[in-house]
Amino acid sequence: MKGIPLILAELGAPSPDPRQVFAIGLNYRDHADESGFDYPTSPPTFTKFASSFTGPVGALPLPTATVDWEAELVVVVSRRAERVTAAEAWSYVAGLTVGQDYSERALQLAGPAPQFSLGKSFPGFAPQGPWLVTLDEVADPDDLPIECRINGETMQRSSTKQLIFSVPQLVEHLSAVLPLMPGDIVFTGTPAGIGGARKPARFLLEGDVVETSIGGIGELRQVCVAFAETGERQVTA
């Protein structure tokens, strides 16, 4: 019996319709350093709206000239978690996947109150995949190599052991505030190497190829294209 060829471009996000989406900021020491912030004493939390979700391979429409990249480990919750301790937190994780927290920096940082969630939720800004990997399939879920490359050039390279707040600590913190539900998503933060922190700043351009990988899980691949809303390129930054 012949198998059916797997076409990555036809896959969607492993958990496409979560009730809740959590994203954590400044969760790698080197990223906090490059951003000029003190290390947080509790996880800074925002959301990415689920309409930004997409699969592991495809086009990334650029709405402006200030779109940035953020490679991230993504956690999918397996069952209702309420006031869970860090010691038991991994038992509430269905699995891990690769994610990108694409960010439109002009909108994200527009003040006086920054618009993190809107700036990170344009269409295609939350690719995930290529599949959900259960914990028994990774050697050490607390130490996974993570990398982002633009046109083959390495921009981010780190390990999840560098997280300020580990996955169990994040589950403990979030579930102390509200119940986590099956299928909920947690973007756990990004390491150093984002475009906005470079001097001069570097942002994504049409034709750029973004590859994001986590050892033992897999890889994402997006090709940057013009933002087609009315048939014209939208550049407002």
Side-chain angles (χ1 to χ4, degrees), residues 34-55:
E34 73 173 354
S35 301
F37 291 103
D38 294 334
Y39 300 157
T41 56
S42 64
T45 306
F46 54 96
T47 193
K48 288 174 75 73
F49 296 106
S51 57
S52 67
F53 281 22
T54 189

Side-chain angles (χ1 to χ4, degrees), residues 181-222:
M181 301 296 185
D184 281 358
I185 296 292
V186 183
F187 282 77
T188 60
T190 197
I194 63 169
R198 294 171 180 268
K199 300 187 186 301
R202 175 175 175 177
F203 298 109
L204 294 171
L205 302 172
E206 288 180 44
D208 282 348
V209 177
V210 185
E211 295 170 304
T212 309
S213 62
I214 297 180
I217 298 180
E219 182 173 291
L220 311 179
R221 186 178 188 273
Q222 283 77 49

